[in-house]
Amino acid sequence: MSDKRKHDRAFVRTFFTTPTAEQGEDDPAKKLRGAIGLRGMQAPDVWVPDNEDATAPSMRDEGAENVAEVVAEGGADFPGEIHPRVVWHRDDPGTRYRGFQHMLTIADPEKGAVDHVDGFVIPEVGGIDDWKKADEFITIVEHEYDLEEGSLAMSVIVESGAAELAMERLRDEMGKPDNNLERLFLLVDGEVDYTKDMRAITPTGALPPWAELRHNTSRAASAAGLIAVDGPYDDIRDVEGYRERMTENQAKGMTGIWSLTPGQVVEANWGPLPPEESYWLVDEGGREVELEREDGVEVYDGDRISLEGAGDGYVLTVGSDERRLADEDELREELLALVDYVPSMNDVVDSMEEFEEAKEAGRGAIAMTRSATIRIDGVEVDVSSDRMWDEATYQAMMVPVALFQDVYENRPDQRDDLAERYGEDVVDRAMAVGS
Amino acid sequence: MSDKRKHDRAFVRTFFTTPTAEQGEDDPAKKLRGAIGLRGMQAPDVWVPDNEDATAPSMRDEGAENVAEVVAEGGADFPGEIHPRVVWHRDDPGTRYRGFQHMLTIADPEKGAVDHVDGFVIPEVGGIDDWKKADEFITIVEHEYDLEEGSLAMSVIVESGAAELAMERLRDEMGKPDNNLERLFLLVDGEVDYTKDMRAITPTGALPPWAELRHNTSRAASAAGLIAVDGPYDDIRDVEGYRERMTENQAKGMTGIWSLTPGQVVEANWGPLPPEESYWLVDEGGREVELEREDGVEVYDGDRISLEGAGDGYVLTVGSDERRLADEDELREELLALVDYVPSMNDVVDSMEEFEEAKEAGRGAIAMTRSATIRIDGVEVDVSSDRMWDEATYQAMMVPVALFQDVYENRPDQRDDLAERYGEDVVDRAMAVGS
Amino acid sequence: MSDKRKHDRAFVRTFFTTPTAEQGEDDPAKKLRGAIGLRGMQAPDVWVPDNEDATAPSMRDEGAENVAEVVAEGGADFPGEIHPRVVWHRDDPGTRYRGFQHMLTIADPEKGAVDHVDGFVIPEVGGIDDWKKADEFITIVEHEYDLEEGSLAMSVIVESGAAELAMERLRDEMGKPDNNLERLFLLVDGEVDYTKDMRAITPTGALPPWAELRHNTSRAASAAGLIAVDGPYDDIRDVEGYRERMTENQAKGMTGIWSLTPGQVVEANWGPLPPEESYWLVDEGGREVELEREDGVEVYDGDRISLEGAGDGYVLTVGSDERRLADEDELREELLALVDYVPSMNDVVDSMEEFEEAKEAGRGAIAMTRSATIRIDGVEVDVSSDRMWDEATYQAMMVPVALFQDVYENRPDQRDDLAERYGEDVVDRAMAVGS
């Protein structure tokens, strides 16, 4: 086994759920029909007709029929993968049996949807043996309908301590002759139910951050060739918070996130891709803010950092911390420790190309230099930093590029958006590096 | 297996240790006699006559006799559970044998204590096979004294890396025919010895926070139907620090904590219960402080936030970060991002009832609104926020209520305190929701 | 099994890598010859001739020969242990076979190096069965060359999610009849490749902190009697950052760190040892700074804390947080909460001795008092704090002393430096405590 991902998609940025049947609507499947029509950056990598929590219990039998009908009609043209979520619970055989029946309904070849169904999402799993029960039902569905064994993927929602522990065993359990767990695809955290299962309490009722759960999910994905996806971000209007969560997740290796609206899908589709323009950050004292580029100068116009000349030297104040610096060299060094550079997609590709050339020329490590003129309170300072790149740096920086390539290959409907943002030239060069 | 807890108590807030024998005292068992007399909020959920670290090694044989004597006398009237701690060490068979002998002493039916002994606490456990040795000794104690197999609970102190790893296996090991590990009850972190075992060093000698250990303990409790309890908080006078630690623990699902004094017991018995009065918090820039309610207005009177009118708009300053806001709507939105609401027990019960009614009326999700008038530097602003509640939110908010119900059922001696704090009406309604 | 470490060294502070062969140099083994000549604080506890990432792929066959040659010449006099790193990859049998051949080259008794080779470092390991493949090759090397089975240690670089999970199983796998995994010695994190394997992305390309990985590595070391070592710190000029990373690691029980230069070796050799002089810290509001000792008074001369008399009382301002205190007692209490004491080696030894005497006199717990006069803005205040020491505190404080003793025993070349820093008397007393 390697850390190669085993499905068509090596990366999944977006996991978008839609209710399958709503009471009181003229067309109970209206939202399904809306979602399957999404295209481009509004369309998720994985679309999840949600026959569990998003749909009232009394509507779920109808919901399964709706999924089959809507996917039969529109599934062929949908640009992402389709993975309906069915009901399941580690503690309730009745719920598990109902989930099985819903899978039989959705996958029934006579309904015409199954060719466009890429797999199922199983919520509320428990220990590894519970995962195997779901796997077995999918195997039976495949057998009954003459589908290839393992052709339907299985994704799980990790929302119990038992499931968190089960993830550690996937690498050993996948490939055993008595299961088809190689069908596993996404490990999706479900923090609301997880909070309940862990019996956590916060004064305001806010969800705990569950940093360890996210690490463990990402680690399990890495060890078993799967893809880690974070749970829903409830505050739909808080775009900034959603982005911060994604940045946190990406630093843990969790490149996907749940999306509750097409607006969140757009955010999350762009989320892990490098920015169009590079920029510099400065640490204002615990908080990093972006500098503004004006005529090639990086300008700080906040209130927390001030800089003024003092004789031959300078006084640099960050918050209420005043630092006296003897000369421009000291100032430069002090500033270097405060600033950070965020490369654009173009920069990343440049660096990859430069390293690839160096490697061909027999050099194993080269220095990448970043320079800028920074202006604070009218004082301009030139700073420049080197970073050594070796093979390991190159491989680590390849991750966002590999993700870009995966998106480009698998989402032709997003190519125009990528070209518009980055330019055709950058797109072409990004597709060429690393090969 | 489900995530249901398997003992009488589903929650344990307090784990209070008492030395079993002290040299040089007229009555070496004086502290035991004092502790067994505790009632109400001063009495812990779990009382631990401590025949290990709290008692000098030379006094432990006498200590075991004292436990038997004192519990025989006063155990029937003690309102909490009684779980003596005996000596044990994964690396020392002599210590393990001594712990076994002390259990035989304490549980000897002729001494009359065993009917009131709910179980034993085993410190310094190692790998899972070491846990099984302790379990086996307890099985033998039960057999020798004609007690029902499994009737004596076993709690462990997790104070080694090996024990931290063993916790991951409990779900699989409990229920095997060759052990009685279903007797497991509490997983208690012991951070001082854990720090030694992990060989951690801090410059000041302070204990590291061990966030991962606490997560893993809570997760194991969740996966195996047990209860997670944090270790001792040494600085007895630092009540604020003890409360902060509890809040942190609760966000990890660890609802119990060790108490070293009856004062700490009182704090920790109230700790996980919702407050009597709701309040608003405001983020002063990294630090959340409580607003003061004056005639229905939430007033900020600190120095770190200032607000003043400026033409049609406002200037809001947080720390040294100045934000110019064009009108009251912008101000309102900015404030909303800074404040947070902590519901009272009454609020929580209100919300539960409201959601239960909505559910009966066939609605799966409703918006809960919180409104307040906030005053900063004399300027008053009305803010209002919605939170969507669905079944999962409801279940997650049920945790503190379930804890309340567990306390009410199991601790009749605390009912007066609960009624005094919350009012009879709130108590009655809190007992009725979720059923 | 106990938490005792099973090799000659119970602690490893420094893990220093050196390229084995460089193209275009007059002497391709020049760096090896330089490194093997290091002595005293510049010499690492573990020296790693690096026939993997630090050496170009085309130079590695020659590199293995160089290692054998240079270690044969200078190994007998080198004061640390010698553990060459060979190539390995969980996903590539060709790489594994090449690593095996390089081990056969380096350990060939005819080359005269093997008596000074303490073990091998295996990078890029995967699941536990992959670790066993490396172990088996080392067993074969030992058998072919008539070395005692298990005499060559094996250290691994943990740089994949699979390897992180494998660490949890070491305690169970070591000692099984079909392997010699008792040869395991160091668990070394490799964060650059780990970042790639986890597919983590950060905006600036900086390495994520990977706090959980470091915890899990330290925990595995504790559970299996091994030693945890952190990966390389790339920014060689950032001495302050390197120290902060070590302090963080030590609080996790990870006492060793990779060193890329002799300068980093010096820093990391001193890193986990207590300071020569004690000092007080004060919390400036989120940031701890050192007070300056002037004539026995601890002086704060920063800008973030101010103190002035106000009538009978005081105004203490921390950042923009102003606190009015009624009298000197209130001031004292407020200051006590802000300050912290970092004991010197002499202080630590004093406390150990004091506790040992108390224990002999039959007392199990004593109060250790720290007092100081603190001066802020010219106002002087006497503060004094007690800390209760019991056996567990004593054991936890023994960790840095045990490390000191391990260094003293195993590194005679560093004794002069230790005596120069701490004084002969402190060194002698430090060697006597705990025995």
Side-chain angles (χ1 to χ4, degrees):
Chain A
M1 173 170 307
S2 79
D3 64 355
K4 303 286 179 295
R5 270 58 182 176
K6 277 177 287 295
H7 295 266
D8 294 340
R9 298 296 306 260
F11 292 89
V12 164
R13 297 163 295 170
T14 38
F15 179 96
F16 175 57
T17 47
T18 306
T20 59
E22 291 188 301
Q23 214 156 15
E25 298 284 334
D26 285 350
D27 173 8
K30 195 173 111 186
K31 288 208 175 130
L32 284 183
R33 284 184 231 282
I36 208 169
L38 294 172
R39 297 291 180 272
M41 297 311 286
Q42 285 206 320
D45 287 341
V46 167
W47 176 46
V48 181
D50 184 3
N51 208 39
E52 198 220 13
D53 278 2
T55 299
S58 61
M59 300 296 286
R60 289 174 185 163
D61 292 341
E62 182 180 341
E65 298 287 350
N66 290 346
V67 173
E69 182 195 320
V70 171
V71 172
E73 281 166 24
D77 296 327
F78 186 73
E81 296 198 358
I82 302 177
H83 296 253
R85 174 158 78 160
V86 296
V87 294
W88 191 265
H89 204 290
R90 58 195 174 280
D91 293 336
D92 184 358
T95 302
R96 296 196 292 269
Y97 182 49
R98 226 175 144 204
F100 175 42
Q101 290 173 309
H102 291 156
M103 289 194 280
L104 283 167
T105 299
I106 294 168
D108 183 348
E110 302 213 341
K111 297 189 196 290
V114 70
D115 286 351
H116 314 305
V117 171
D118 298 280
F120 289 102
V121 177
I122 311 293
E124 294 287 4
V125 286
I128 190 73
D129 287 349
D130 187 56
W131 299 41
K132 291 177 188 170
K133 297 173 195 170
D135 165 54
E136 169 67 357
F137 280 154
I138 301 178
T139 298
I140 290 172
V141 168
E142 288 166 338
H143 183 264
E144 288 304 299
Y145 294 150
D146 285 329
L147 303 169
E148 191 187 347
E149 211 165 87
S151 62
L152 289 168
M154 171 171 150
S155 300
V156 298
I157 314 289
V158 175
E159 44 196 337
S160 65
E164 187 182 352
L165 286 170
M167 290 194 293
E168 301 191 359
R169 301 173 57 173
L170 296 178
R171 191 181 165 95
D172 284 338
E173 293 289 344
M174 288 165 72
K176 285 191 176 170
D178 287 329
N179 70 52
N180 287 306
L181 284 174
E182 299 96 319
R183 69 170 80 252
L184 279 167
F185 178 44
L186 305 177
L187 301 172
V188 184
D189 286 343
E191 279 95 351
V192 176
D193 277 302
Y194 181 80
T195 298
K196 178 191 68 169
D197 182 76
M198 291 284 279
R199 311 200 306 178
I201 299 172
T202 60
T204 61
L207 287 179
W210 298 124
E212 293 90 352
L213 170 67
R214 288 182 282 154
H215 174 77
N216 293 339
T217 304
S218 185
R219 178 181 65 179
S222 161
L226 308 178
I227 298 175
V229 174
D230 194 19
Y233 191 84
D234 271 352
D235 192 345
I236 290 165
R237 290 169 306 184
D238 181 10
V239 175
E240 206 41 58
Y242 192 54
R243 285 184 189 152
E244 280 169 20
R245 179 74 172 199
M246 284 192 274
T247 302
E248 245 187 60
N249 289 343
Q250 288 152 20
K252 290 172 171 292
M254 179 175 257
T255 46
I257 192 167
W258 201 303
S259 298
L260 294 168
T261 65
Q264 282 194 337
V265 172
V266 173
E267 285 300 326
N269 273 336
W270 285 118
L273 290 167
E276 183 190 349
E277 294 286 346
S278 68
Y279 54 91
W280 288 79
L281 295 169
V282 65
D283 184 337
E284 283 192 329
R287 207 173 67 146
E288 294 217 307
V289 298
E290 200 170 322
L291 297 175
E292 292 210 13
R293 191 165 297 160
E294 292 175 13
D295 301 329
V297 175
E298 313 294 331
V299 180
Y300 175 76
D301 65 356
D303 299 319
R304 296 180 61 88
I305 303 181
S306 65
L307 176 60
E308 53 181 342
D312 294 342
Y314 297 88
V315 177
L316 176 72
T317 309
V318 182
S320 58
D321 180 27
E322 197 179 289
R323 307 171 201 182
R324 284 163 194 286
L325 305 163
D327 53 30
E328 202 175 333
D329 280 348
E330 279 196 15
L331 174 59
R332 191 172 286 125
E333 204 169 321
E334 195 73 26
L335 279 179
L336 255 185
L338 293 182
V339 297
D340 229 330
Y341 183 73
V342 177
S344 65
M345 173 63 92
N346 188 28
D347 291 333
V348 172
V349 173
D350 271 353
S351 300
M352 308 296 292
E353 289 172 345
E354 199 178 327
F355 184 79
E356 289 177 2
E357 277 170 36
K359 199 161 52 170
E360 254 176 65
R363 283 185 297 158
I366 58 171
M368 300 285 181
T369 305
R370 301 289 177 204
S371 303
T373 303
I374 290 171
R375 186 194 300 151
I376 300 175
D377 291 345
V379 182
E380 294 195 356
V381 194
D382 294 324
V383 299
S384 171
S385 75
D386 282 352
R387 186 175 175 198
M388 287 306 299
W389 273 51
D390 62 9
E391 180 66 27
T393 327
Y394 169 80
Q395 293 289 348
M397 293 304 283
M398 189 65 206
V399 174
V401 178
L403 185 147
F404 177 90
Q405 294 174 344
D406 193 64
V407 170
Y408 189 87
E409 288 297 343
N410 288 287
R411 295 295 304 271
D413 62 314
Q414 296 190 342
R415 288 181 190 172
D416 285 352
D417 290 292
L418 297 176
E420 197 183 324
R421 174 162 292 197
Y422 297 120
E424 291 284 0
D425 171 60
V426 172
V427 169
D428 290 349
R429 287 164 50 221
M431 291 306 295
V433 293
S435 55
Chain B
M1 171 171 307
S2 80
D3 64 354
K4 304 284 180 297
R5 270 59 181 176
K6 278 176 288 297
H7 294 265
D8 294 341
R9 297 296 306 260
F11 292 89
V12 164
R13 298 162 295 171
T14 37
F15 179 96
F16 175 57
T17 47
T18 306
T20 59
E22 292 187 301
Q23 215 157 14
E25 298 284 333
D26 286 350
D27 173 8
K30 195 172 110 187
K31 288 208 175 129
L32 284 183
R33 285 185 229 282
I36 207 167
L38 295 172
R39 297 292 181 270
M41 298 309 287
Q42 285 205 320
D45 287 341
V46 166
W47 176 46
V48 182
D50 185 3
N51 208 38
E52 198 220 12
D53 277 1
T55 300
S58 61
M59 299 296 288
R60 288 173 186 164
D61 293 341
E62 181 179 342
E65 298 288 350
N66 290 346
V67 173
E69 181 195 321
V70 171
V71 172
E73 282 166 25
D77 298 327
F78 186 73
E81 296 197 358
I82 301 177
H83 297 252
R85 175 158 78 160
V86 295
V87 294
W88 191 265
H89 205 289
R90 58 194 174 282
D91 293 336
D92 184 358
T95 302
R96 296 196 293 268
Y97 182 50
R98 223 173 148 206
F100 176 41
Q101 290 173 309
H102 292 156
M103 289 194 278
L104 283 167
T105 299
I106 293 168
D108 183 348
E110 303 214 340
K111 297 189 195 290
V114 70
D115 288 350
H116 315 305
V117 171
D118 297 280
F120 289 102
V121 177
I122 311 294
E124 294 287 4
V125 286
I128 190 72
D129 286 350
D130 186 57
W131 300 42
K132 291 177 187 170
K133 296 173 195 170
D135 165 53
E136 168 67 357
F137 281 153
I138 301 178
T139 298
I140 290 173
V141 168
E142 287 166 340
H143 184 263
E144 289 303 299
Y145 295 149
D146 285 328
L147 304 169
E148 191 187 347
E149 210 165 88
S151 61
L152 288 169
M154 171 172 150
S155 300
V156 298
I157 314 289
V158 175
E159 45 197 334
S160 64
E164 187 182 352
L165 286 169
M167 290 194 293
E168 301 192 0
R169 301 174 57 173
L170 296 178
R171 191 181 166 95
D172 285 337
E173 294 288 344
M174 288 165 72
K176 285 192 176 169
D178 286 329
N179 70 53
N180 287 306
L181 284 174
E182 299 97 318
R183 69 170 79 251
L184 278 167
F185 178 43
L186 306 177
L187 301 172
V188 185
D189 286 343
E191 279 95 351
V192 176
D193 277 302
Y194 181 80
T195 298
K196 178 191 68 170
D197 181 76
M198 292 283 279
R199 311 199 307 177
I201 299 172
T202 60
T204 61
L207 287 179
W210 297 125
E212 293 91 352
L213 170 67
R214 288 182 283 155
H215 174 77
N216 293 339
T217 305
S218 185
R219 177 180 65 178
S222 163
L226 309 177
I227 298 175
V229 174
D230 194 20
Y233 192 84
D234 272 351
D235 191 345
I236 290 164
R237 291 169 305 184
D238 180 10
V239 176
E240 207 41 59
Y242 192 54
R243 285 183 189 155
E244 280 168 21
R245 179 73 173 199
M246 284 191 274
T247 302
E248 243 186 63
N249 288 343
Q250 288 152 21
K252 291 173 171 292
M254 179 176 258
T255 46
I257 192 167
W258 201 301
S259 297
L260 294 168
T261 65
Q264 282 194 337
V265 172
V266 173
E267 286 299 326
N269 274 336
W270 286 117
L273 290 167
E276 182 189 351
E277 295 286 347
S278 68
Y279 55 91
W280 288 79
L281 295 169
V282 65
D283 184 338
E284 283 191 326
R287 207 173 67 146
E288 294 217 307
V289 298
E290 202 171 317
L291 297 174
E292 292 210 13
R293 191 165 297 161
E294 293 176 13
D295 302 328
V297 175
E298 312 296 330
V299 180
Y300 175 76
D301 65 356
D303 299 319
R304 296 180 61 89
I305 303 181
S306 65
L307 175 62
E308 52 181 344
D312 294 343
Y314 297 87
V315 177
L316 176 71
T317 309
V318 182
S320 58
D321 181 27
E322 196 178 289
R323 306 170 200 182
R324 285 163 193 286
L325 305 162
D327 53 32
E328 202 174 333
D329 280 349
E330 279 196 15
L331 174 60
R332 190 172 287 124
E333 203 169 322
E334 195 73 25
L335 279 179
L336 254 184
L338 292 182
V339 298
D340 229 329
Y341 183 73
V342 177
S344 64
M345 173 64 92
N346 188 27
D347 291 333
V348 172
V349 173
D350 271 353
S351 300
M352 308 296 291
E353 290 172 345
E354 199 178 326
F355 184 79
E356 288 176 2
E357 277 169 36
K359 198 161 53 169
E360 255 175 65
R363 282 185 298 157
I366 58 172
M368 300 286 181
T369 303
R370 301 288 177 205
S371 303
T373 303
I374 290 170
R375 186 194 302 150
I376 300 173
D377 291 343
V379 182
E380 293 194 357
V381 194
D382 293 325
V383 300
S384 171
S385 74
D386 282 353
R387 186 175 175 198
M388 288 306 299
W389 273 51
D390 62 10
E391 181 66 27
T393 327
Y394 169 80
Q395 293 290 347
M397 292 304 284
M398 189 65 205
V399 174
V401 178
L403 185 147
F404 177 90
Q405 295 174 343
D406 192 64
V407 169
Y408 190 86
E409 289 298 343
N410 289 287
R411 294 295 305 271
D413 63 314
Q414 296 190 343
R415 287 181 191 172
D416 286 350
D417 291 292
L418 296 176
E420 197 183 322
R421 173 161 294 196
Y422 297 120
E424 291 284 1
D425 170 60
V426 171
V427 168
D428 291 347
R429 288 164 50 223
M431 292 307 294
V433 294
S435 54
Chain C
M1 174 170 309
S2 80
D3 64 357
K4 304 284 179 294
R5 270 59 180 175
K6 279 177 286 296
H7 294 265
D8 294 340
R9 298 297 305 258
F11 292 89
V12 164
R13 298 163 295 170
T14 37
F15 179 96
F16 174 58
T17 47
T18 306
T20 59
E22 291 188 302
Q23 214 157 13
E25 298 284 334
D26 285 350
D27 173 7
K30 196 174 111 187
K31 288 208 175 128
L32 285 183
R33 285 185 229 281
I36 208 167
L38 294 171
R39 295 292 180 272
M41 298 310 286
Q42 286 205 321
D45 287 341
V46 166
W47 176 47
V48 182
D50 185 3
N51 208 39
E52 199 220 12
D53 277 1
T55 300
S58 60
M59 299 297 287
R60 289 174 186 162
D61 292 342
E62 181 180 341
E65 298 288 350
N66 290 346
V67 173
E69 182 195 319
V70 171
V71 172
E73 281 165 24
D77 297 327
F78 186 73
E81 296 197 358
I82 302 177
H83 296 253
R85 174 158 79 161
V86 296
V87 294
W88 191 265
H89 204 288
R90 57 195 174 282
D91 292 336
D92 184 358
T95 303
R96 296 195 294 269
Y97 182 48
R98 226 175 144 204
F100 175 40
Q101 290 173 309
H102 291 156
M103 290 194 278
L104 283 167
T105 299
I106 294 168
D108 182 349
E110 303 214 341
K111 297 189 196 291
V114 70
D115 286 352
H116 316 305
V117 171
D118 297 280
F120 289 102
V121 177
I122 311 294
E124 295 287 3
V125 286
I128 190 72
D129 287 350
D130 187 56
W131 300 41
K132 291 177 187 169
K133 297 174 195 169
D135 165 53
E136 168 67 357
F137 281 153
I138 301 178
T139 298
I140 290 174
V141 168
E142 288 166 340
H143 184 262
E144 289 305 299
Y145 294 149
D146 285 329
L147 304 169
E148 191 187 347
E149 212 165 86
S151 62
L152 288 169
M154 171 171 149
S155 299
V156 298
I157 314 289
V158 176
E159 44 196 336
S160 65
E164 186 182 352
L165 286 169
M167 290 193 293
E168 301 192 359
R169 301 172 60 172
L170 295 178
R171 191 182 164 94
D172 284 338
E173 294 288 344
M174 287 165 72
K176 285 192 177 170
D178 287 327
N179 70 52
N180 286 306
L181 284 174
E182 300 96 320
R183 69 170 80 251
L184 278 167
F185 178 43
L186 305 178
L187 300 172
V188 184
D189 285 344
E191 280 95 351
V192 176
D193 277 302
Y194 181 80
T195 298
K196 177 191 68 169
D197 182 76
M198 292 283 279
R199 310 199 307 177
I201 299 172
T202 60
T204 60
L207 287 179
W210 299 123
E212 293 91 352
L213 170 66
R214 287 182 283 155
H215 174 77
N216 293 339
T217 304
S218 184
R219 177 180 67 178
S222 162
L226 309 178
I227 298 174
V229 174
D230 194 19
Y233 191 82
D234 272 351
D235 192 345
I236 291 164
R237 290 168 307 184
D238 181 10
V239 176
E240 206 40 60
Y242 192 55
R243 286 184 189 153
E244 281 168 20
R245 178 74 174 200
M246 284 191 274
T247 302
E248 245 187 61
N249 288 343
Q250 288 152 20
K252 290 172 172 291
M254 179 176 259
T255 45
I257 193 168
W258 201 301
S259 297
L260 294 168
T261 65
Q264 282 195 337
V265 172
V266 173
E267 286 299 325
N269 273 336
W270 285 117
L273 290 167
E276 183 189 349
E277 296 285 346
S278 68
Y279 54 91
W280 288 80
L281 295 169
V282 66
D283 184 338
E284 282 193 327
R287 208 172 67 145
E288 295 217 305
V289 297
E290 200 170 321
L291 297 174
E292 291 211 14
R293 190 164 298 159
E294 291 176 13
D295 301 328
V297 175
E298 312 295 332
V299 180
Y300 175 76
D301 64 356
D303 300 319
R304 296 180 60 90
I305 303 180
S306 65
L307 176 61
E308 53 181 342
D312 293 343
Y314 297 89
V315 177
L316 176 71
T317 309
V318 181
S320 58
D321 182 26
E322 197 178 290
R323 307 171 200 181
R324 284 164 194 286
L325 305 162
D327 53 30
E328 201 174 334
D329 280 349
E330 279 196 15
L331 174 60
R332 191 172 286 124
E333 204 168 321
E334 195 73 24
L335 279 179
L336 254 184
L338 294 182
V339 297
D340 228 329
Y341 183 73
V342 178
S344 65
M345 173 63 92
N346 188 26
D347 290 333
V348 172
V349 173
D350 270 353
S351 300
M352 308 296 292
E353 290 172 346
E354 199 178 327
F355 184 80
E356 288 176 3
E357 277 170 35
K359 200 162 52 170
E360 254 175 66
R363 283 185 297 157
I366 58 171
M368 299 285 180
T369 305
R370 300 287 175 207
S371 303
T373 303
I374 291 171
R375 185 195 302 151
I376 301 175
D377 291 345
V379 182
E380 294 195 356
V381 194
D382 293 325
V383 300
S384 171
S385 75
D386 282 353
R387 186 175 174 197
M388 288 306 299
W389 273 51
D390 62 10
E391 180 66 26
T393 327
Y394 170 79
Q395 292 290 349
M397 292 304 284
M398 189 64 206
V399 174
V401 178
L403 185 146
F404 176 90
Q405 294 174 344
D406 192 63
V407 169
Y408 189 87
E409 288 298 344
N410 289 285
R411 295 295 304 270
D413 62 314
Q414 296 190 343
R415 287 181 191 172
D416 285 351
D417 290 292
L418 296 176
E420 197 184 322
R421 174 161 294 197
Y422 297 120
E424 292 283 359
D425 170 60
V426 172
V427 169
D428 291 347
R429 288 164 48 222
M431 292 305 296
V433 294
S435 55

